[in-house]
Amino acid sequence: MEEVEFKKVHDPYLQPKMITSTNSDSPLRRVWLPGPVIIGAGPSGLAAAACLKNHGVPSMILEQTSCIASLWQLKTYDRLRLHLPKQFCQLPLMPFPQDFPTYPTKEQFLSYLESYAKNFDLKPVFNATVVSAEFDGECRFWRVKTKATEYVSQWLIVASGENADEVVPRFEGMDEFNGPIVHTSSYKSGDGFENKRVLVVGCGNSGMEVCLDLCNSHAFPSLVVRDSLHVLPQEMFGISTFGLSMWLLKWFPVRIVDHLLLFISRCLLGDTSVLGLNRPKIGPLELKGISGKTPVLDVGTLAKIRSGDIKVYPAIKRLECNIVEFVDGRKENFDAIILATGYRSNVPTWLKDTNLFSNKDGFPKKKLQEGSKGERGLYAVGFTKRGLLGSSIDACRVAKEISRQYSEGKRECLQRA
Ligand SMILES: Cc1cc2nc3c(=O)[nH]c(=O)nc-3n(C[C@H](O)[C@H](O)[C@H](O)COP(=O)(O)OP(=O)(O)OC[C@H]3O[C@@H](n4cnc5c(N)ncnc54)[C@H](O)[C@@H]3O)c2cc1C
Ligand SMILES: NC(=O)C1=CN([C@@H]2O[C@H](COP(=O)(O)OP(=O)(O)OC[C@H]3O[C@@H](n4cnc5c(N)ncnc54)[C@H](OP(=O)(O)O)[C@@H]3O)[C@@H](O)[C@H]2O)C=CC1
Ligand SMILES: O=C(O)C(=O)Cc1c[nH]c2ccccc12
């Protein structure tokens, strides 16, 4: 039976139809796909599916939640805006509407993604959490399982995101803390935090922006900064720092560009170390390239730190009722703690038997990222730590490569027939 299905799925006359069957030795419904299976209906998964469709290749997106772009719909705060200019955040084949501002709001970005899905007629399977994906060496297909269904496909595109799961650190005495401890993924606005002393742990872009939002909501935020970080102005002389950096990198080596960015930042923002924000020894773009650590693009938080509206503390030593003790020995009272401690990939929890993804951080290894030809039909979109621009570049590249293989397979089939 499996053999017949396997042959059928290669039959070009049946494509792009998928074949559904039940399996006697497993309760799972089995779906044979003529094209790739994509895991995740975020910007990366949508972009990959749109590019594939543009090449005439059908695909199926499996999404664990009940909506597209779940990170943006469900896990971000109300006042979020894109922090890079729109031209660096649009997905392939469909630009943002002309009337969008330079930094679109979360609502605008989401409405764009909805139109994107509609425009390319992308219909993800919702509430389909992938629990395992395994390469079957015998038939040379991927077997991708959700609770109820097994999807079988020659190509597997991992688009489950760099930010799939929250990083939630443990602190001594955490369970005794007398107040809410929430991750930024569940922070919507400062409502309910008015006049409250809130400790924001972590100073990436989330921590910095949530602090500012809390300030604007009349709360009293403090920020835990345990390590060095680069803060850059969002714009330099009316040009986005990101855009300027990209342009400069075309002409100068990264270290020269970093020197220039740091010089201008110093002129515009002053010395950040006097505020408790020490800069790493390595420059912002070089560090981004080496470790993926995104520089903070300041949207007003620094001014609030300078004015004393936001206080800065070093790493946490322990918690006790409402008291937080820091590593420098200071103890302060807080009513709530917001963990802006970032995210991690969830790939190691479901992708089996592959040495193409690291089990440590859930990112693809260099081999997969650099080679345009994914091994055994496995591809990654959106894991280059380069934001939405990285997702778009990956999606185009992966779709081109798969469509080449797809057409080749089709041709071979026709010749055999
Ligand atoms: C607050 C915030 C703001 C950001 N702002 C910017 C910005 O301005 N510019 C920029 O370039 N980047 C920004 N980023 C980076 C962000 O990573 C991208 O914007 C973008 O969301 C990445 O898209 P993605 O599709 O790769 O991942 P995601 O958006 O995370 O989408 C992945 C999808 O996969 C689904 N999924 C995960 N695991 C499974 C599974 N096992 N089975 C089925 N489905 C699964 C998830 O539910 C999710 O819908 C921001 C990130 C955050 C957190
Ligand atoms: N407007 C926008 O467009 C926004 C974009 N983003 C993007 O979303 C992504 C995720 O950002 P974000 O959520 O800020 O996550 P990040 O991973 O960028 O930052 C997490 C921060 O938490 C700190 N941290 C982690 N664990 C601890 C701990 N135990 N104690 C103290 N500090 C800790 C890290 O410090 P350390 O460096 O020492 O590990 C780091 O400063 C990024 O790509 C970011 O650019 C986020 C918000 C807004
Ligand atoms: O928002 C993010 O996470 C990004 O990765 C976007 C991004 C890629 N390269 C950068 C360099 C400086 C600031 C933001 C980014």
Side-chain angles (χ1 to χ4, degrees):
M1 175 70 181
E2 271 203 17
E3 206 174 303
V4 173
E5 284 168 346
F6 176 77
K7 281 180 185 149
K8 272 196 211 161
V9 88
H10 278 94
D11 184 339
Y13 302 113
L14 275 173
Q15 286 174 11
K17 275 187 224 142
M18 60 184 196
I19 301 161
T20 307
S21 70
T22 45
N23 182 0
S24 53
D25 49 277
S26 151
L28 295 184
R29 189 176 69 114
R30 182 174 291 151
V31 177
W32 295 80
L33 301 172
V37 58
I38 300 173
I39 304 185
S44 300
L46 296 175
C51 291
L52 284 163
K53 189 160 249 182
N54 192 44
H55 284 288
V57 181
S59 64
M60 178 168 280
I61 308 178
L62 305 179
E63 167 55 48
Q64 65 184 357
T65 68
S66 53
C67 60
I68 61 161
S70 70
L71 177 71
W72 284 84
Q73 303 236 32
L74 309 175
K75 295 185 169 187
T76 55
Y77 43 94
D78 300 342
R79 276 208 254 183
L80 177 66
R81 279 176 173 266
L82 293 178
H83 66 171
L84 305 185
K86 59 179 177 178
Q87 67 268 31
F88 300 109
C89 295
Q90 60 199 9
L91 301 185
L93 307 168
M94 188 178 136
F96 280 126
Q98 292 244 308
D99 60 347
F100 270 26
T102 307
Y103 302 100
T105 64
K106 162 175 146 173
E107 268 64 42
Q108 287 170 323
F109 184 55
L110 280 167
S111 86
Y112 163 77
L113 292 176
E114 293 287 356
S115 331
Y116 192 85
K118 209 164 160 200
N119 187 51
F120 294 99
D121 196 26
L122 308 176
K123 296 195 176 104
V125 182
F126 291 117
N127 304 309
T129 305
V130 170
V131 290
S132 85
E134 204 163 358
F135 186 69
D136 183 334
E138 248 171 64
C139 66
R140 304 203 59 75
F141 269 53
W142 283 93
R143 296 182 179 274
V144 178
K145 289 183 185 156
T146 64
K147 213 167 145 201
T149 310
E150 179 182 69
Y151 298 87
V152 188
S153 164
Q154 203 176 331
W155 301 277
L156 171 62
I157 301 179
V158 179
S160 50
E162 297 170 345
N163 303 314
D165 288 344
E166 289 80 4
V167 170
V168 179
R170 294 290 311 165
F171 299 106
E172 189 188 326
M174 202 165 174
D175 300 332
E176 283 90 64
F177 185 76
N178 267 341
I181 301 182
V182 293
H183 191 270
T184 40
S185 61
S186 28
Y187 174 88
K188 291 288 158 213
S189 73
D191 290 355
F193 290 104
E194 297 88 352
N195 300 314
K196 297 256 190 306
R197 294 157 302 180
V198 187
L199 185 64
V200 177
V201 183
C203 55
N205 280 297
S206 295
M208 295 291 258
E209 289 189 15
V210 163
C211 265
L212 181 63
D213 199 43
L214 284 164
C215 254
N216 293 335
S217 305
H218 310 290
F220 302 110
S222 295
L223 182 64
V224 169
V225 182
R226 70 167 177 186
D227 202 359
S228 54
L229 79 151
H230 281 296
V231 184
L232 305 175
Q234 191 178 33
E235 295 194 339
M236 295 175 165
F237 319 116
I239 306 168
S240 80
T241 301
F242 184 81
L244 185 66
S245 308
M246 292 299 112
W247 186 79
L248 286 168
L249 282 173
K250 285 189 194 158
W251 311 101
F252 303 104
V254 65
R255 289 198 180 169
I256 303 278
V257 179
D258 271 343
H259 272 297
L260 196 64
L261 292 181
L262 290 174
F263 173 75
I264 302 172
S265 296
R266 172 80 193 227
C267 296
L268 297 175
L269 304 175
D271 180 3
T272 57
S273 69
V274 300
L275 306 173
L277 310 174
N278 296 309
R279 288 197 183 273
K281 286 203 174 64
I282 302 175
L285 298 180
E286 194 181 358
L287 189 65
K288 175 80 183 158
I290 295 170
S291 70
K293 192 167 169 170
T294 312
V296 168
L297 294 174
D298 181 51
V299 290
T301 313
L302 225 49
K304 296 283 185 191
I305 296 178
R306 203 173 290 114
S307 66
D309 292 319
I310 299 171
K311 293 192 174 56
V312 172
Y313 289 96
I316 293 176
K317 192 166 175 199
R318 67 168 76 90
L319 315 181
E320 200 187 312
C321 300
N322 279 97
I323 301 166
V324 178
E325 184 180 343
F326 298 97
V327 289
D328 62 358
R330 275 186 287 173
K331 289 183 180 181
E332 298 291 342
N333 269 286
F334 291 98
D335 303 306
I337 295 178
I338 296 178
L339 300 171
T341 41
Y343 299 85
R344 65 164 69 92
S345 154
N346 68 8
V347 176
T349 63
W350 53 264
L351 185 63
K352 313 288 174 207
D353 307 331
T354 159
N355 58 5
L356 293 173
F357 270 78
S358 152
N359 265 331
K360 217 168 118 233
D361 64 6
F363 274 66
K365 291 185 182 166
K366 273 235 153 57
K367 213 162 89 183
L368 178 59
Q369 211 52 262
E370 281 168 0
S372 58
K373 199 173 179 318
E375 263 182 52
R376 298 183 296 182
L378 177 66
Y379 295 86
V381 175
F383 288 90
T384 52
K385 297 193 175 174
R386 291 168 67 197
L388 294 157
L389 183 61
S391 297
S392 295
I393 295 169
D394 284 352
C396 295
R397 177 178 59 77
V398 166
K400 198 169 161 205
E401 170 58 24
I402 293 180
S403 80
R404 195 187 57 72
Q405 293 177 28
Y406 182 85
S407 319
E408 231 169 60
K410 215 167 172 177
R411 225 182 358 261
E412 276 171 22
C413 252
L414 282 167
Q415 275 165 4
R416 268 204 305 272

